Amino acid sequence: KRGGEVMISSIELTGGGLLLDGAPAVVLCSSVFPFRIPRQQWDHRLQLVQESGYRMIDLYVHWGFHEQTPGAIDLTSPERDLRHFLDLAHARGLLVMARPGPYICSETDGGGLPWWLHGDAEGAPAALRTTDPDYLAAVDRWFGAVMPILADAQVTRGGTVALVQIENELDFFDCPDPGQYMDHLARRAREHGI
């Protein structure tokens, strides 16, 4: 760290564990979800994590919280300002494991998927968490908004995002095409710089 900022030149996830600057590392991680915390408390919560000795936070980015109306993704208004939250974590010297979904679980209704993707809502896809073209089009729009912010904040670019997990708990869901589905998500994340 330098003045609270994360100072890591390389990070690698191997079959045997996590390497920070080439050295094996065990990183304690605390979950901090800004969609559950008023903005004015974000920095204080991160301060508490920092003071506890933890070096990383687990950050779900709740799609349904950020896109309450189809096509209107809000990642910048005060209570939804992802970049600001990442800047606060960076200033506290905390690494971030970002988890933008699309499905996050996190004990949220519908796993954090927007309400308008479910059931009989107008324009709802036939199948969620699959390669259904309507679902993937919505996911691609979400990733097109959220992934560039996470990519710009990666430790490899002087930021705080050390790891990105796409999807969550797919093994508990009856996905008929998990390989194709996950390949699509990984390809889209990489196209946006992850």
Side-chain angles (χ1 to χ4, degrees), residues 70 114-128 132 134-135 138:
W115 66 269
W116 45 266
L117 283 176
H118 296 277
D120 296 330
E122 185 178 335
L128 302 178
D132 175 274
D134 293 330
Y135 175 68

Side-chain angles (χ1 to χ4, degrees), residues 74-124:
D74 180 1
L75 291 158
T76 59
S77 68
E79 293 296 323
R80 292 170 169 77
D81 192 342
L82 177 60
R83 193 174 311 268
H84 177 68
F85 185 83
L86 293 171
D87 288 345
L88 291 172
H90 189 259
R92 292 272 173 206
L94 296 167
L95 296 170
V96 172
M97 176 173 53
R99 301 168 81 181
Y103 182 87
I104 63 169
C105 189
S106 187
E107 291 67 50
T108 60
D109 290 340
L113 296 174
W115 66 269
W116 45 266
L117 283 176
H118 296 277
D120 296 330
E122 185 178 335

Side-chain angles (χ1 to χ4, degrees), residues 63 67 70-71 73 102 114 116-117 123 125 128 132-145 184:
W63 180 11
E67 190 175 1
I73 299 172
W116 45 266
L117 283 176
L128 302 178
D132 175 274
D134 293 330
Y135 175 68
L136 290 182
V139 169
D140 289 350
R141 183 176 62 241
W142 168 239
F143 274 21
H184 178 91

Side-chain angles (χ1 to χ4, degrees), residues 16-97:
L18 183 68
L19 302 177
L20 298 179
D21 290 331
V26 174
V27 182
L28 297 176
C29 183
S30 178
S31 296
V32 182
F33 307 150
F35 65 90
R36 291 188 172 146
I37 305 167
R39 177 188 171 109
Q40 64 270 23
Q41 294 179 17
W42 290 354
D43 189 52
H44 180 253
R45 298 291 176 93
L46 294 171
Q47 177 186 354
L48 293 173
V49 172
Q50 177 190 31
E51 290 173 354
S52 74
Y54 282 53
R55 294 183 57 199
M56 179 178 275
I57 62 165
D58 167 33
L59 167 66
Y60 279 123
V61 186
H62 188 307
W63 180 11
F65 181 71
H66 291 282
E67 190 175 1
Q68 296 180 357
T69 303
I73 299 172
D74 180 1
L75 291 158
T76 59
S77 68
E79 293 296 323
R80 292 170 169 77
D81 192 342
L82 177 60
R83 193 174 311 268
H84 177 68
F85 185 83
L86 293 171
D87 288 345
L88 291 172
H90 189 259
R92 292 272 173 206
L94 296 167
L95 296 170
V96 172
M97 176 173 53

